[in-house]
């Protein structure tokens, strides 16, 4: 199941599914995560907007031209949508489910606190990806893109015998 509030994203995802002949293996929903009901997921992968709104003007021109502002703007602290995804995920993840988030540089401490406060537990250390914002083609210490993978504390009983 793919979920997005942007019609253009859903349209592009449908084109990709069709071109890969996977249209019968996936369902796409045009709605924000807060309007997802009646589903329980094993895995939620989210690339929410996480850029602090005052920093958007400093992003590279290709990102500002290509990405709609709503896909970038994470509010005053960059965490507005991340908070919503974490909160909603508590209710739509299966008890042994995994939540994977893409977050901004320097946000991991706040995000880990939010996850702990919502009964999630860190499963893996952050993974750093290519930094599109400064156009570097190699891994750098100044990465903007990080991801953290977590699982609910209940699931850890299976894996780590809490």
């Amino acid at each position: 199941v793919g979920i997005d509030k942007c019609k253009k994203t859903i349209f592009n995802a449908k084109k990709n599914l069709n071109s890969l002949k996977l249209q019968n293996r996936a369902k796409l929903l045009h709605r924000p995560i807060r309007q997802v009901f009646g589903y329980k997921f094993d895995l939620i992968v989210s690339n929410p907007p996480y850029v602090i709104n005052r920093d958007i003007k400093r992003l590279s021109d290709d990102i500002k031209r290509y990405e709609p502002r709503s896909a970038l703007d994470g509010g005053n602290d960059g965490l507005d949508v991340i908070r919503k995804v974490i909160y909603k995920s508590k209710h739509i993840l299966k008890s042994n489910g995994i939540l994977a988030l893409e977050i901004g540089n320097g946000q991991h401490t706040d995000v880990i606190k939010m996850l702990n406060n919502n009964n999630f537990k860190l499963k893996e250390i952050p993974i750093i990806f290519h930094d599109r914002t400064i156009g570097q083609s190699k891994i750098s210490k100044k990465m903007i893109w990080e991801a953290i993978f977590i699982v609910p504390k209940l699931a850890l009983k299976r894996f780590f015998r809490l």
Side-chain angles (χ1 to χ4, degrees):
V1 176
I3 303 163
D4 205 288
K5 68 178 187 175
C6 177
K7 280 184 182 181
K8 186 176 181 181
T9 301
I10 294 294
F11 175 78
N12 288 333
K14 283 181 182 178
K15 281 181 19 181
N16 289 338
L17 286 171
N18 289 332
S19 70
L20 297 169
K21 297 183 180 13
L22 297 172
Q23 64 272 18
N24 295 327
R25 297 186 61 193
K27 183 174 185 174
L28 300 174
L29 304 174
H30 174 233
R31 61 185 71 151
I33 193 168
R34 71 178 182 278
Q35 293 178 0
V36 175
F37 303 102
Y39 292 93
K40 287 286 188 178
F41 300 100
D42 294 304
L43 171 67
I44 296 173
V45 179
S46 179
N47 180 8
Y50 55 79
V51 179
I52 297 171
N53 55 14
R54 69 180 174 275
D55 292 342
I56 291 174
K57 63 181 174 262
R58 291 188 283 195
L59 294 173
S60 66
D61 289 338
D62 64 317
I63 291 175
K64 290 187 287 189
R65 273 193 304 265
Y66 178 73
E67 298 283 352
R69 185 174 179 96
S70 63
L72 301 170
D73 192 343
N76 289 333
D77 62 358
L79 301 171
D80 287 358
V81 180
I82 292 170
R83 280 186 195 89
K84 293 174 185 174
V85 170
I86 291 170
Y87 177 78
K88 184 64 177 187
S89 293
K90 289 189 317 185
H91 304 288
I92 62 175
L93 261 179
K94 291 181 181 178
S95 64
N96 62 345
I98 296 172
L99 171 62
L101 295 168
E102 182 172 337
I103 63 174
N105 187 37
Q107 293 176 332
H108 63 278
T109 301
D110 290 332
V111 172
I112 289 171
K113 285 179 189 174
M114 283 187 266
L115 292 166
N116 286 331
N117 291 339
N118 284 278
N119 296 320
F120 286 91
K121 187 83 170 191
L122 184 65
K123 183 177 180 187
E124 301 287 341
I125 60 171
I127 297 173
I128 301 176
F129 298 100
H130 173 70
D131 185 350
R132 303 186 303 164
T133 62
I134 56 177
Q136 290 185 354
S137 59
K138 62 180 185 173
I139 300 298
S140 163
K141 289 184 180 180
K142 296 183 177 182
M143 302 305 290
I144 299 297
W145 308 94
E146 296 176 313
I148 64 173
F149 294 85
I150 51 81
V151 294
K153 286 181 182 173
L154 290 174
L156 292 179
K157 289 181 182 176
R158 275 192 172 155
F159 301 110
F160 300 105
R161 295 190 182 124
L162 290 180

